[in-house]
Amino acid sequence: MTTALNPPGRDPIVDCDVHPMARTTEDFYPYLTAHWRRHFEERGVRTYARARDRYNHPADTQRLDAYPADGGPAGSDPELVIERHLDPYGITTALLLPQQPYGTTAWGDIDAANAFVNATNDYFVETWVDRDPRFGLAITVSPHDPAQAAGEIRRHAGTPGVVAVQLLVMERMLGDSWYNPIYEAAVEAGLPIAVHQSGSEGCYTFSQGPAGGVPRSYGERHSVLTQVGAANVADLIVNGTFEAFPSLKVVFVEWGFSWLPSLMNRLDLFWERDPGAALRIKKKPSEYIREHITFTTQPLDEVETQAELDALFSPAGVSDVLLFSSDYPHYDTDDPFFVLHNKIPERLRRAVCYENALGVFGDKIFRTPVTL
Amino acid sequence: MSESQPGTLAALRRTDPATGPSSEDFEYVCDYDDMVLDEFRSVEIGGREVCVVRTLAGVFAIGSTCPHQAANMCAGAIKGTMEPSERNEYRFAQEGEIVTCPWHGYEFSLRTGASVGGALKGRLGAYQVEVRDGAVYCSPRRVRPERPVRAERPTRKAGE
């Protein structure tokens, strides 16, 4: 007999952005073949093609209270994540989006990227997902070789606790048919695609950067990074990805959403005026967004007045596409109590906390029963 | 030990003359020598959690709740801050007088609890501390912030 995951009287909370870490990349080695293990032991692993190489962050990029007392990076001790984040806030499901694979977006070696990414999937299944039913993993796939990525999705299609596919983004935008084998496998496995920044945007030649050019400072980059998300939303829709894969769901994690009403409006207007310019789609772009795409809430725009807050949540369609996220253990985390009680309007709270998540991930988002 | 407390002792002397610079409401925190440099100690003073710390700049006590999203400041880090300066001229100052929030990195003055640069509207509580006979004491009374120097009003010329 299992007890309900959510505390009595409290709605379930699905936190759609939690970052687990291995203490060191060597922790992944047992999940590699002997060949690849030797390869990485000799050559090392570069896990960040990162903004930090170009920009000074204003603070440590991790929450100071998320570092394990016995060392290791923030987010590297699942027990501490349970103790500091899941238990106190009553988080029913934490969608785990591992970051150590992000650096592979800059790797030229296709096979090494696949081997490394696949090893991280097995590592997080065994050390996190199998440890607590509140951990749900987005297995990572790299787009270096879509057929191989599709194979990795199929390999984990039935793994308990695997609830999404974290697709790393390289030079091609998400509407490119290059990704079709990945989308096909995801649909077949009933897993949504989750897209999170890799931190490499605008940091090397073939990464997707914000519009206009490469920002010079961290603040500049952080503010305009949303453009990459918006551009990929438009690309997915206009290239007919959702016509080709009618049951595909895509979750945009940490790209913001306050730009969405404007983008939907502009896309709809263009399509109504000139449907012939987007022959692969058959209805208004905003309808595809409502049916197929969701957006996580963190980092919530920090508005100052109630009117601005209302404006953030009132546009038509926004309430159906938001998923709560904290970004634990990062320094720009949104505190669940604070955001859910002070910022998210009462009328949207249930939708944002778990109802929209159920729509995207299905029942598997709750691995043990919840009380609704 | 108390000679290295210029800021806080000065603050103590600024207590309200009506209630007086009384030691009665000061509660024992710990022995001074037990304070690890730059490491907060969480104590309850007057029914409220207070974070007490010894830094290079003295002994300070602040309220435990960040005014932004309520992170516990006892997990914060002791730092200095980059003061406003000309372009390409970096001025790092106030070392040991600044605490940064453990979550979002907002900076506050340990002396006054004010948000550095006015980044946040809210502020931390800053409480009176005293080092006496090798022990640290804290009061539930706040350090009274220094009055800002009032800017000279430009005299208005007749007819303007």
Side-chain angles (χ1 to χ4, degrees):
Chain A
M1 185 69 193
T2 46
T3 50
L5 274 179
N6 51 324
R10 296 232 306 255
D11 282 332
I13 299 175
V14 178
D15 181 347
C16 288
D17 189 14
V18 171
H19 296 295
M21 297 279 282
R23 283 171 75 98
T24 74
T25 48
E26 283 163 21
D27 291 354
F28 299 126
Y29 290 0
Y31 302 89
L32 292 162
T33 63
H35 163 81
W36 282 113
R37 185 176 174 153
R38 171 70 68 84
H39 175 89
F40 290 120
E41 278 170 356
E42 283 182 358
R43 291 165 184 271
V45 179
R46 183 138 177 86
T47 54
Y48 292 100
R50 291 302 305 268
R52 64 174 68 218
D53 294 340
R54 182 173 168 88
Y55 309 109
N56 283 328
H57 281 253
D60 195 317
T61 54
Q62 314 292 335
R63 271 170 58 158
L64 298 180
D65 57 359
Y67 283 94
D70 58 350
S76 62
D77 178 357
E79 290 303 327
L80 192 67
V81 175
I82 292 168
E83 180 196 315
R84 296 267 166 92
H85 190 59
L86 304 194
D87 284 346
Y89 294 105
I91 305 289
T92 343
T93 307
L95 176 66
L96 302 177
L97 297 164
Q99 295 202 288
Q100 277 145 323
Y102 289 176
T104 60
T105 53
W107 293 10
D109 187 335
I110 295 167
D111 299 320
N114 287 330
F116 181 74
V117 163
N118 297 357
T120 67
N121 292 334
D122 289 334
Y123 171 86
F124 286 110
V125 166
E126 203 171 300
T127 56
W128 285 66
V129 172
D130 288 352
R131 183 185 294 245
D132 193 295
R134 290 170 290 181
F135 289 133
L137 177 68
I139 55 155
T140 307
V141 296
S142 106
H144 287 81
D145 176 351
Q148 205 284 342
E152 180 66 359
I153 294 170
R154 293 192 174 99
R155 187 168 76 89
H156 279 294
T159 305
V162 168
V163 295
V165 174
Q166 172 171 242
L167 174 58
L168 305 182
V169 177
M170 289 168 67
E171 67 269 42
R172 292 180 180 84
M173 293 177 78
L174 292 174
D176 195 316
S177 57
W178 175 268
Y179 294 102
N180 283 0
I182 295 173
Y183 297 150
E184 191 183 343
V187 164
E188 202 183 287
L191 299 173
I193 298 283
V195 185
H196 187 285
Q197 305 98 50
S198 66
S200 61
E201 290 76 14
C203 291
Y204 58 94
T205 311
F206 50 89
S207 68
Q208 293 186 28
V214 182
R216 291 188 183 82
S217 72
Y218 174 81
E220 184 183 347
R221 173 183 181 274
H222 201 259
S223 307
V224 298
L225 200 53
T226 54
Q227 295 167 352
V228 179
N232 278 285
V233 168
D235 198 58
L236 269 169
I237 290 166
V238 175
N239 285 289
T241 307
F242 299 114
E243 284 296 331
F245 301 99
S247 56
L248 179 67
K249 306 265 186 195
V250 182
V251 185
F252 277 77
V253 185
E254 213 178 333
W255 300 100
F257 65 90
S258 51
W259 42 265
L260 192 58
S262 160
L263 181 74
M264 288 201 286
N265 188 288
R266 291 171 69 95
L267 282 171
D268 284 355
L269 190 67
F270 124 80
W271 192 76
E272 280 163 359
R273 282 190 183 162
D274 187 7
L279 291 171
R280 289 180 173 180
I281 59 174
K282 296 182 176 148
K283 53 190 175 191
K284 283 205 293 188
S286 59
E287 291 178 39
Y288 291 102
I289 292 179
R290 287 194 191 103
E291 279 170 39
H292 297 276
I293 307 183
T294 39
F295 301 84
T296 61
T297 51
Q298 181 279 341
L300 203 60
D301 289 12
E302 298 208 12
V303 295
E304 302 227 322
T305 65
Q306 187 60 43
E308 290 171 306
L309 194 63
D310 293 343
L312 201 55
F313 293 103
S314 58
V318 163
S319 61
D320 301 330
V321 299
L322 294 183
L323 305 173
F324 173 75
S325 66
S326 71
D327 197 25
Y328 185 90
H330 288 173
Y331 83 99
D332 49 353
T333 187
D334 273 349
D335 178 67
F337 281 160
F338 180 81
V339 166
L340 290 172
H341 294 284
N342 298 339
K343 299 293 174 185
I344 310 278
E346 170 86 48
R347 68 190 160 84
L348 298 185
R349 216 164 278 156
R350 282 203 165 140
V352 174
C353 274
Y354 69 93
E355 287 172 353
N356 293 347
L358 267 173
V360 181
F361 301 95
D363 291 345
K364 63 164 77 81
I365 201 68
F366 299 130
R367 282 162 70 195
T368 56
V370 292
T371 315
L372 299 180
Chain B
M1 289 295 179
S2 58
E3 67 277 5
S4 62
Q5 320 302 318
T8 47
L9 288 183
L12 271 181
R13 293 190 189 102
R14 285 198 302 274
T15 48
D16 196 328
T19 52
S22 154
S23 288
E24 281 167 19
D25 60 355
F26 277 76
E27 294 178 38
Y28 172 80
V29 174
C30 64
D31 284 356
Y32 182 83
D33 286 343
D34 287 343
M35 295 198 89
V36 180
L37 189 71
D38 292 348
E39 216 166 86
F40 278 107
R41 189 177 276 266
S42 162
V43 287
E44 198 180 298
I45 302 290
R48 189 178 280 152
E49 189 187 11
V50 170
C51 314
V52 184
V53 67
R54 174 171 76 93
T55 76
L56 289 172
V59 177
F60 303 97
I62 54 167
S64 64
T65 308
C66 179
H68 177 227
Q69 289 194 8
N72 190 310
M73 294 302 297
C74 289
I78 302 302
K79 294 188 177 165
T81 189
M82 284 288 183
E83 291 188 332
S85 63
E86 292 300 312
R87 195 176 172 190
N88 292 331
E89 175 199 307
Y90 292 95
R91 215 163 55 216
F92 188 73
Q94 302 177 51
E95 191 151 15
E97 298 176 30
I98 303 293
V99 55
T100 65
C101 172
W103 289 0
H104 302 89
Y106 281 108
E107 297 174 335
F108 300 91
S109 162
L110 284 167
R111 294 192 189 284
T112 65
S115 160
V116 172
L120 287 176
K121 278 182 185 160
R123 62 193 297 136
L124 292 172
Y127 298 95
Q128 299 175 16
V129 285
E130 191 175 278
V131 180
R132 197 180 345 118
D133 302 328
V136 177
Y137 297 85
C138 181
S139 159
R141 282 181 297 158
R142 293 193 180 211
V143 169
R144 179 182 271 201
E146 291 194 34
R147 279 171 180 271
V149 181
R150 187 173 285 186
E152 287 286 321
R153 278 196 178 185
T155 45
R156 187 173 284 188
K157 287 177 190 153
E160 270 188 348

